[in-house]
Amino acid sequence: MSSRAQILARVKENQPALTVLPADLTALVQYPDPVEMFGKVLEGIGGMMHPVKDYEEMIGLINTQFSSLPRIISTIPELKAISEKGWEEQNPHSYENVDVAIIKAHFGVAENAALWVTESLMGQRVIPFICQQLVVVVHKKDILSNMQEAYQQIADSVYGFGAFIAGPSKTADIEQSLVLGAHGPKNMTVFVLA
């Protein structure tokens, strides 16, 4: 018997007995108010959430918060009045100086403040990753409690590209100091529509 076979035989002989997972590892996390938890988690990872009643209120907040930023693009038809005209279908390199990108999310997840976005909502795949400020719109009814629910939502979906996006870009690689906006959006604002 080869040394490899001997090692594998010993491992097989010395397997621990199977145990049942504790109940708390199999129970799904459920929040009484997923939107409130989403906001707390998002703030903890460097983003901010604004509950809004409609697009008019959202436009007012965008005009106030981003008034000094000249290049705003949006994939949302209701926000075309504040979006640059004719930005769609350009070379992806032309978006390198986008100040604010506004996109929709299919849904959000309260436990980690992640938002599920597919390329059908991005306009161009590069948009949410190249802009300076990322604004994402999600409906209140579409905030889920946990990632298990999120994966159930996308299990049978058909899409070319999708991503869970949570907060602004960040890194703590350099001397364990957290830096926001290191390689993507410096800030992330989420508008939660009632």
Side-chain angles (χ1 to χ4, degrees), residues 62 72-76 79 82 100-104 134-135 137:
I62 291 168
I72 298 175
I73 63 172
S74 176
T75 61
I76 303 171
L79 300 177
I82 59 171
V100 182
I102 308 167
I103 62 174
K104 269 189 179 177
L134 178 60
V135 176
V137 178

Side-chain angles (χ1 to χ4, degrees), residues 106-185:
H106 294 284
F107 58 83
V109 184
E111 75 175 331
N112 59 6
L115 294 149
W116 176 246
V117 184
T118 59
E119 67 185 334
S120 66
L121 299 177
M122 293 178 192
Q124 287 262 0
R125 289 183 186 185
V126 72
I127 296 298
F129 308 107
I130 200 168
C131 61
Q132 294 297 309
Q133 313 282 330
L134 178 60
V135 176
V136 184
V137 178
V138 66
H139 286 272
K140 180 180 180 177
K141 66 178 178 51
D142 295 327
I143 304 280
L144 311 173
S145 279
N146 57 65
M147 286 300 290
Q148 289 91 337
E149 292 174 353
Y151 286 122
Q152 288 169 358
Q153 290 276 330
I154 64 174
D156 297 323
S157 300
V158 178
Y159 52 89
F161 174 79
F164 282 104
I165 301 173
S169 80
K170 54 194 127 338
T171 185
D173 292 346
I174 303 165
E175 297 179 12
Q176 298 180 349
S177 178
L178 181 62
V179 177
L180 297 178
H183 42 68

Side-chain angles (χ1 to χ4, degrees), residues 65-76:
Q65 190 170 344
F66 305 114
S67 62
S68 63
L69 302 175
R71 190 159 187 213
I72 298 175
I73 63 172
S74 176
T75 61
I76 303 171

Side-chain angles (χ1 to χ4, degrees), residues 14-137:
N14 293 295
Q15 292 291 314
L18 295 176
T19 58
V20 178
L21 286 175
D24 63 333
L25 293 180
T26 57
L28 297 178
V29 175
Q30 290 295 325
Y31 299 105
D33 187 347
V35 174
E36 180 185 358
M37 180 56 70
F38 181 91
K40 285 179 183 176
V41 175
L42 182 62
E43 185 178 322
I45 61 174
M48 62 186 114
M49 182 185 87
H50 296 286
V52 292
K53 64 181 183 304
D54 56 26
Y55 284 103
E56 289 305 314
E57 182 181 358
M58 192 182 307
I59 289 170
L61 287 166
I62 291 168
N63 285 336
T64 301
Q65 190 170 344
F66 305 114
S67 62
S68 63
L69 302 175
R71 190 159 187 213
I72 298 175
I73 63 172
S74 176
T75 61
I76 303 171
E78 293 86 350
L79 300 177
K80 76 173 158 182
I82 59 171
S83 178
E84 177 182 302
K85 310 292 183 251
W87 70 267
E88 306 88 342
E89 305 301 323
Q90 302 296 318
N91 181 312
H93 296 284
S94 70
Y95 305 121
E96 68 184 356
N97 62 348
V98 168
D99 293 303
V100 182
I102 308 167
I103 62 174
K104 269 189 179 177
H106 294 284
F107 58 83
V109 184
E111 75 175 331
N112 59 6
L115 294 149
W116 176 246
V117 184
T118 59
E119 67 185 334
S120 66
L121 299 177
M122 293 178 192
Q124 287 262 0
R125 289 183 186 185
V126 72
I127 296 298
F129 308 107
I130 200 168
C131 61
Q132 294 297 309
Q133 313 282 330
L134 178 60
V135 176
V136 184
V137 178

